[in-house]
Amino acid sequence: MSKKKNNVVPHGTKSLSTTKANRWGWIFTAPFGIVFILFLVVPLVYAFFVSLYSYTQVRGTVFTGLANYKRVFTDPIFLNGLKLVVLYTIVMVPIQLLFALLLALVLDSVKSKFASVSRLLYFLPYAIPVVIGALMWGFLYSKDMGPFTSFFQLFGMKAPDFLAPGSIFGSLVNMVTWQWTGYYMVILYSALQSIPTDLYESARIDGASEVKIALKIKVPMITSSMVMVTIFALIGTLQFYTEPMVLRNNANSAIPPEYTPNMYAQALEFNYNQMNYAATVSFALGLLVVIFSVVFMVLTRKQSGLED
């Protein structure tokens, strides 16, 4: 009967190597930690500090505690902007998710050079800076020199005004969907690539069609990625700013300075010199975005795999 060898680790060796590994870990993560603190934590703390004060020409800057927060949650301009971005979220997020999922499923099923080129073309709008994309759509929507106007004139028809107050909502939804769907598609396509192909072969042997394979195997197995994409879209839409801000140059009557809460905060700071209240609006919006995101993650914890 052979005796088991006892691999006894010399006292202090393990703890010494662990300490050394931890030290290198801290060294490698320190640059990110410094940048994170300097450019995120410090500005957040400063913004909250500023939001607790109010400024008037008579009294100067005085500490008012949470009075600005009481004011912002009863401010009709802030609440109207908030309702608008929630409406954009309800409309835009499902559209983006649906298009991204359909494109990912189609490209996953097609194995050819065409699929590789299509992936690149669909992702291309995301690679274009948001400001450049908004300027480009501003030109396309232009009533005076846009290509849509020329196209309708070919048939003797009057082109619709894409920048009118009644149509600006749809114009912005179209612009944001064009910009971000490719990015979400790439995330979902990557998730589809991680599914074992044996499952598809077994399903085909059992007589399952490609549509059934997509609905019964592919979609359920990438649910966690879909939840992640939805959270990205929720956060981005609730902070809606760049697209309406750039397009406002061509649509002054349809997009007022306080169109969204972020634009309202900027207008308060730079147009009305209300730095304290602008900080309050920004902080209140950030708080609501965090609450929305946490509630969504809790409601979808089973689908996202966070339940365990």
Side-chain angles (χ1 to χ4, degrees):
M1 189 176 180
S2 62
K3 292 182 180 179
K4 288 184 179 178
K5 289 183 178 179
N6 293 325
N7 296 325
V8 180
V9 178
H11 181 70
T13 304
K14 187 177 180 180
S15 59
L16 184 62
S17 61
T18 304
T19 305
K20 202 172 180 180
N22 288 340
R23 187 183 305 142
W24 278 110
W26 281 109
I27 290 172
F28 283 126
T29 54
F32 168 77
I34 293 170
V35 172
F36 181 80
I37 291 172
L38 282 179
F39 294 101
L40 185 68
V41 177
V42 172
L44 277 176
V45 173
Y46 178 71
F48 181 70
F49 174 77
V50 170
S51 70
L52 299 178
Y53 288 81
S54 292
Y55 173 80
T56 60
Q57 289 188 341
V58 178
R59 300 167 57 196
T61 302
V62 292
F63 179 77
T64 53
L66 298 176
N68 283 336
Y69 288 92
K70 186 179 177 182
R71 175 186 168 191
V72 77
F73 287 112
T74 55
D75 185 343
I77 298 175
F78 176 77
L79 294 178
N80 286 336
L82 193 61
K83 286 177 189 173
L84 189 63
V85 291
V86 170
L87 185 60
Y88 271 111
T89 304
I90 293 170
V91 174
M92 273 198 304
V93 173
I95 291 175
Q96 291 175 3
L97 192 62
L98 181 63
F99 276 121
L101 180 62
L102 286 175
L103 289 173
L105 288 171
V106 170
L107 293 178
D108 183 61
S109 301
V110 179
K111 305 296 182 187
S112 66
K113 288 184 179 178
F114 169 77
S116 304
V117 174
S118 299
R119 259 199 327 270
L120 179 63
L121 290 176
Y122 289 133
F123 182 74
L124 200 57
Y126 175 72
I128 297 173
V130 179
V131 173
I132 302 298
L135 289 172
M136 186 191 74
W137 278 103
F139 165 72
L140 293 174
Y141 287 149
S142 174
K143 195 176 178 181
D144 301 323
M145 54 183 179
F148 292 126
T149 302
S150 304
F151 176 78
F152 278 93
Q153 284 175 349
L154 285 176
F155 300 96
M157 299 168 64
K158 186 180 178 183
D161 188 357
F162 296 103
L163 301 177
S167 54
I168 195 66
F169 184 90
S171 300
L172 283 168
V173 168
N174 174 60
M175 187 192 301
V176 177
T177 303
W178 168 83
Q179 184 104 43
W180 289 92
T181 299
Y183 172 65
Y184 301 141
M185 182 271 295
V186 168
I187 295 175
L188 298 180
Y189 178 80
S190 301
L192 286 170
Q193 297 303 298
S194 65
I195 300 175
T197 55
D198 297 348
L199 293 174
Y200 305 151
E201 297 300 328
S202 301
R204 289 189 186 104
I205 291 171
D206 291 339
S209 65
E210 292 300 320
V211 174
K212 202 166 186 179
I213 290 173
L215 295 177
K216 298 291 183 182
I217 298 177
K218 293 183 178 180
V219 173
M221 293 195 75
I222 61 168
T223 308
S224 58
S225 296
M226 290 172 65
V227 170
M228 183 178 70
V229 164
T230 307
I231 291 172
F232 287 166
L234 274 175
I235 294 173
T237 310
L238 289 171
Q239 301 181 58
F240 204 23
Y241 173 77
T242 307
E243 290 88 350
M245 194 66 198
V246 175
L247 209 59
R248 188 171 177 272
N249 295 324
N250 300 342
N252 276 318
S253 60
I255 305 177
E258 63 279 358
Y259 191 65
T260 67
N262 270 336
M263 291 175 66
Y264 183 39
Q266 191 203 30
L268 286 168
E269 167 65 30
F270 295 103
N271 297 350
Y272 306 109
N273 198 26
Q274 296 187 34
M275 184 178 71
N276 304 97
Y277 191 52
T280 310
V281 170
S282 301
F283 220 86
L285 178 64
L287 185 65
L288 290 173
V289 170
V290 171
I291 292 172
F292 267 106
S293 304
V294 171
V295 168
F296 182 80
M297 289 175 71
V298 170
L299 292 177
T300 58
R301 62 186 185 279
K302 184 178 179 182
Q303 290 80 5
S304 62
L306 297 175
E307 194 175 38
D308 297 333

